[in-house]
Amino acid sequence: MSSFLSDVIKNIRRGCELGGFPEEFYELVSKPERIVIVKIPVKLSDGKLKVFEGYRVQHNSALGPYKGGIRFHPELSLDDDIALATIMTLKNSLAGIPYGGAKGGVKVNPKELNVKDLEALCRGYVRALKDVLGEYLDIPAPDVGTTSQMMAWMFDEYSKFVGRNAPAVFTAKPPIIHGNPVREYATGFGCAVISKEAAEKYLGGLEGRRVSIQGFGNTGQWHAYFISKMGAKVVAISDTSGTVYDPEGIDVELAMKVKNTTGKVINYPRGEKISDPQAALYVDADILGPDAIERQITLENVGKVKAKIVVEGANGPTTPEAELKLTERNVIVVPDFLANAGGVVMSYLEWVENLQWYIWDEEETKKKLEDIMRKNFLRTYKKFEELRSTGKVKTMRDAALVLALERIYEAMKVRGWL
Ligand code: NAD
């Protein structure tokens, strides 16, 4: 039966076949190097003791220390964590940053814990896993259900154990304790940089191009904000409350203010209001940012998508079958592990700052992030066009997969693992 993990492994298999890599490499790269499962006892504020289960999956370290977020989610399974850690190995490799891949998590609904209990759980997670974490070993960050505040508690707990300030062990911390202000918008900014590059290659430029954003959360808001600053016209935005469509262009800053104060994009005062949150996928736009959640563009609705470029801000918003349909219509799909890498690239920059006890200012950091994202896109674009012309691949995702696996393969070979 197909699952998130089996889909990810299938991708690795396809990438190995396309790249012509040997079976031993597939064996190494399709399985985690180490999985740690821990029990975390927490004395809750109501006096009861609750034992949580926590994971850290260290998938691959050929290119550098393990790197990946910590997810707090009630339905998290170990298999999901393995799948997410595998994706991190690919994402970090494609991004050209010196990291392997990892992911951690706790099976918990963080919304059901009060602040005190959440802090106790974060500290407990670090206590249980401190021996396998470290600035040159494994560097976690936030993911779904975890925040920069939680990274601050984890950093503090880890520092107590090692008897010194150890900021480089966790990234996306609050700016006051060795974080960087760019992290707040890094993913959406990265999506905008990639959208601009893709528009230059496939649409002759970004200026005046119409953009639609599904999902007006952290990724979608900043994607919309920066792409409009770069000269595009955002014509639609959506969240679970519905879609706002205005062919004349949406005032993104006003929309952000409305969304962040009232919780709903449909309270935006202008434009047409459509109750369907998916309507943003179908409006007349040149570029579409599916920036909400997974599995939004499927075989059922792919025929209604009008955009010429899809930049996947969310993880897994397009199903593989729908992607093939889009490709048949010459729509370019920029895959998630290229498009939304801005967050982890920013984490890398924060880590570099922390290791040196050096602080770059916001503009300098943003410029570095932009340069890395642009280079990543251009490298992938070049590979895609090269492989596409020989008929070897149809999608940019497959070209990105080959490129990511190539770097891991070369690192393993030169280290003597293969
Ligand atoms: P978020 O919770 O801040 O925002 C998600 C938004 O999507 C919310 O506004 C929600 O109302 C909306 N939404 C949910 N279902 C929808 C639907 N069916 N139609 C329209 N809107 C819908 O989350 P986020 O951090 O922006 O993450 C969004 C996606 O980006 C996720 O797939 C996440 O894994 C991915 N991502 C985020 C980051 C990051 O740094 N935030 C990094 C990499 C990948």
Side-chain angles (χ1 to χ4, degrees):
M1 214 176 67
S2 145
S3 67
F4 182 26
L5 178 58
S6 69
D7 284 351
V8 172
I9 305 274
K10 255 185 252 159
N11 275 343
I12 299 257
R13 169 59 85 189
R14 197 175 63 250
C16 284
E17 281 165 12
L18 287 169
F21 302 117
E23 189 61 22
E24 309 83 84
F25 174 65
Y26 169 76
E27 272 299 304
L28 276 173
V29 82
S30 60
K31 295 187 183 82
E33 290 173 4
R34 174 158 61 178
I35 297 174
V36 186
I37 304 174
V38 292
K39 296 287 179 219
I40 309 164
V42 177
K43 188 72 96 37
L44 298 176
S45 31
D46 64 6
K48 291 195 188 113
L49 181 84
K50 190 163 165 67
V51 182
F52 294 91
E53 184 162 279
Y55 310 120
R56 189 68 187 167
V57 176
Q58 297 179 327
H59 178 261
N60 193 277
S61 60
L63 285 165
Y66 304 107
K67 178 91 188 91
I70 299 171
R71 180 171 290 201
F72 281 8
H73 196 276
E75 268 120 53
L76 183 75
S77 69
L78 180 57
D79 272 7
D80 287 349
D81 229 33
I82 296 172
L84 292 162
T86 313
I87 292 172
M88 286 313 296
T89 296
L90 296 172
K91 191 187 280 196
N92 294 339
S93 172
L94 186 69
I97 52 181
Y99 290 137
K103 203 78 174 194
V106 177
K107 223 174 146 68
V108 61
N109 183 351
K111 291 194 183 124
E112 285 174 2
L113 295 184
N114 64 34
V115 177
K116 204 167 157 285
D117 295 346
L118 209 48
E119 177 177 346
L121 176 60
C122 289
R123 291 185 185 275
Y125 182 84
V126 171
R127 270 198 308 280
L129 286 159
K130 64 181 186 335
D131 294 337
V132 297
L133 304 178
E135 52 268 79
Y136 299 111
L137 177 58
D138 186 348
I139 305 125
D143 188 68
V144 174
T146 50
T147 61
S148 60
Q149 171 61 71
M150 297 188 206
M151 292 307 109
W153 292 323
M154 291 190 186
F155 146 67
D156 186 69
E157 190 69 14
Y158 186 89
S159 297
K160 277 193 218 160
F161 277 104
V162 291
R164 62 182 163 88
N165 261 288
V169 186
F170 296 89
T171 57
K173 301 174 295 298
I176 190 72
I177 45 158
H178 315 279
N180 188 301
V182 175
R183 181 62 184 88
E184 165 59 18
Y185 53 78
T187 303
F189 174 64
C191 290
V193 171
I194 297 270
S195 299
K196 181 169 188 279
E197 291 301 316
E200 261 154 34
K201 293 294 178 209
Y202 295 106
L203 300 175
L206 184 69
E207 191 61 38
R209 296 291 173 191
R210 292 154 307 157
V211 178
S212 176
I213 300 285
Q214 185 214 21
F216 206 56
N218 176 276
T219 305
Q221 288 186 22
W222 293 112
H223 188 178
Y225 175 87
F226 285 107
I227 206 168
S228 64
K229 292 270 177 235
M230 290 170 187
K233 194 204 284 187
V234 176
V235 294
I237 51 175
S238 79
D239 67 6
T240 46
S241 72
T243 299
V244 176
Y245 176 57
D246 187 347
E248 298 306 313
I250 288 169
D251 177 340
V252 177
E253 276 175 78
L254 176 62
M256 286 168 78
K257 214 174 277 165
V258 169
K259 164 77 183 172
N260 296 330
T261 50
T262 72
K264 294 178 179 174
V265 290
I266 46 154
N267 290 332
Y268 178 76
R270 298 194 284 272
E272 184 189 341
K273 312 289 160 59
I274 309 164
S275 61
D276 181 4
Q278 287 191 313
L281 301 173
Y282 316 137
V283 300
D284 204 1
D286 302 297
I287 299 172
L288 169 63
D291 293 351
I293 50 169
E294 67 283 355
R295 301 180 73 83
Q296 291 302 294
I297 306 174
T298 64
L299 267 189
E300 281 72 57
N301 66 4
V302 65
K304 293 196 263 178
V305 173
K306 298 192 186 73
K308 302 175 190 86
I309 297 178
V310 175
V311 178
E312 293 187 332
N315 281 315
T318 318
T319 64
E321 302 79 27
E323 184 176 15
L324 280 180
K325 290 277 174 213
L326 290 170
T327 305
E328 280 165 18
R329 282 166 31 202
N330 285 326
V331 176
I332 298 292
V333 180
V334 183
D336 46 9
F337 69 113
L338 170 63
N340 69 28
V344 72
V345 171
M346 182 55 235
S347 273
Y348 159 65
L349 295 172
E350 182 181 327
W351 177 73
V352 171
E353 284 183 296
N354 293 169
L355 287 176
Q356 304 172 84
W357 300 97
Y358 194 81
I359 296 170
W360 290 310
D361 69 29
E362 189 170 344
E363 277 316 302
E364 207 178 343
T365 316
K366 199 162 146 237
K367 175 80 177 58
K368 288 182 197 298
L369 172 61
E370 182 176 353
D371 286 350
I372 295 176
M373 293 304 289
R374 182 180 300 120
K375 272 189 208 134
N376 291 346
F377 176 81
L378 293 175
R379 203 166 38 217
T380 313
Y381 161 79
K382 197 164 154 249
K383 187 80 174 176
F384 174 45
E385 291 305 333
E386 185 189 307
L387 294 176
R388 186 155 75 149
S389 66
T390 63
K392 238 180 146 182
V393 307
K394 290 199 178 86
T395 63
M396 192 181 278
R397 186 181 314 277
D398 277 351
L401 207 52
V402 173
L403 207 51
L405 289 170
E406 248 170 31
R407 289 190 76 235
I408 303 164
Y409 176 68
E410 288 304 324
M412 283 189 189
K413 239 178 44 181
V414 81
R415 291 174 78 135
W417 294 7
L418 288 167

